[in-house]
Amino acid sequence: MKEKICVILVLLFSLTALMGCEKDPTNKKENNNIPSTELTTKSSKYNGIYEQGKYKFYIISLADDKLEYYITNEYDDKLCGRLEYKDDMAIYEEFDEILKIKLDGDNILVESKNVGEFPDGLYKRKGNYTINEFYENIYGLSKYFNSKISGKYTNGENIIYVYQPISKYVEFYAKANRANVSCEAKYEAGKDLICKLFETTYTIKLGEDKLTYIIDSDDEKENYKGEFVKTGELSREEIMDIFDPFGLFYMEESDS
């Protein structure tokens, strides 16, 4: 399970730079007192905001064994990641990177190694936190959630997931033509979604509850064109599970 990294930030302070998610400039305040009633799982008892000095942990449960978190410092830079719930503990462990979080009453005890520049020890609970708030700060603005183009599109066993985080960008994840492709594309109504990775161009032509997916590669064996039909919507939990955090919230501010 790899840590979900969206942007490498260069910080103007003496500590080693955190790697993480771009700050969301549209988030002007924290809604710490909204109760988390959207999801009840074994791991949802971790849902909340926890603080030690200038650092805050924001934790949300997606499933019985799956949590997501982000950490902020005094500059509100964000480090995003995913945790597995097992043995009554939330844990990330891969190679020499370790993050363990355990409840201590209403607070959490944090133990880490090679994950990021934040202190271990006790973080005191400061408030509740919901999936809607987590989504708004890390994945996309709620006003674009379940936009007309967002959803699950299928062609036999081939699947394409599409969601819109902000007005001018769309994320899609395609499992088609024996390849999994994750792309971020600029969005303008009536125009194609185009993403180029190395020497291959991935194009989505949007229609009314359908799309055409085109792969144009220098290697002709990789070329593909298929028609997909919209077969469902995506929940916030599904978007958070399928996609990495979105790092271009500042583009919404510049377009407003």
Side-chain angles (χ1 to χ4, degrees), residues 226-243:
E227 304 288 334
F228 288 70
V229 176
K230 190 173 184 177
T231 55
E233 305 292 343
L234 294 175
S235 67
R236 286 177 175 83
E237 293 92 333
E238 288 173 318
I239 291 171
M240 292 164 65
D241 188 43
I242 294 166
F243 294 93

Side-chain angles (χ1 to χ4, degrees), residues 36 44-50 57-61 125-130:
S36 180
S44 63
K45 56 190 176 183
Y46 280 85
N47 291 1
I49 304 170
Y50 305 87
F57 263 86
Y58 297 77
I59 304 175
I60 198 74
S61 170
R125 185 179 181 88
K126 292 299 178 181
N128 297 320
Y129 207 51
T130 67

Side-chain angles (χ1 to χ4, degrees), residues 16-175:
T16 303
L18 288 176
M19 291 189 300
C21 313
E22 183 69 17
K23 175 182 176 183
D24 178 0
T26 65
N27 184 33
K28 303 301 182 184
K29 63 180 179 179
E30 296 170 358
N31 299 315
N32 289 355
N33 297 316
I34 299 175
S36 180
T37 58
E38 300 162 289
L39 188 67
T40 302
T41 66
K42 293 178 182 178
S43 57
S44 63
K45 56 190 176 183
Y46 280 85
N47 291 1
I49 304 170
Y50 305 87
E51 185 176 37
Q52 181 189 141
K54 61 188 178 182
Y55 294 92
K56 289 183 180 178
F57 263 86
Y58 297 77
I59 304 175
I60 198 74
S61 170
L62 295 182
D64 279 346
D65 62 347
K66 192 180 301 180
L67 305 97
E68 289 211 15
Y69 72 89
Y70 66 92
I71 310 163
T72 62
N73 61 11
E74 61 186 314
Y75 306 103
D76 202 27
D77 299 305
K78 296 181 175 75
L79 169 71
C80 305
R82 178 165 290 176
L83 300 162
E84 181 182 3
Y85 178 76
K86 60 180 181 180
D87 300 327
D88 205 30
M89 180 181 294
I91 183 169
Y92 165 79
E93 189 167 14
E94 185 168 325
F95 303 110
D96 63 343
E97 297 179 352
I98 299 172
L99 175 60
K100 295 180 180 180
I101 300 175
K102 189 172 180 63
L103 287 174
D104 180 13
D106 290 335
N107 307 313
I108 57 172
L109 287 170
V110 174
E111 178 185 348
S112 66
K113 179 182 178 183
N114 299 324
V115 174
E117 288 293 335
F118 54 87
D120 288 353
L122 183 72
Y123 284 71
K124 293 185 177 181
R125 185 179 181 88
K126 292 299 178 181
N128 297 320
Y129 207 51
T130 67
I131 285 176
N132 286 5
E133 291 172 294
F134 197 107
Y135 182 92
E136 179 88 12
N137 285 306
I138 302 298
Y139 284 89
L141 302 181
S142 293
K143 61 183 175 180
Y144 302 112
F145 173 69
N146 267 348
S147 67
K148 186 177 180 180
I149 63 175
S150 299
K152 176 182 178 181
Y153 297 79
T154 59
N155 173 341
E157 295 183 353
N158 298 318
I159 302 174
I160 297 178
Y161 302 98
V162 179
Y163 97 100
Q164 185 176 1
I166 62 174
S167 60
K168 298 298 184 182
Y169 276 85
V170 167
E171 300 266 358
F172 68 87
Y173 178 64
K175 300 167 68 175

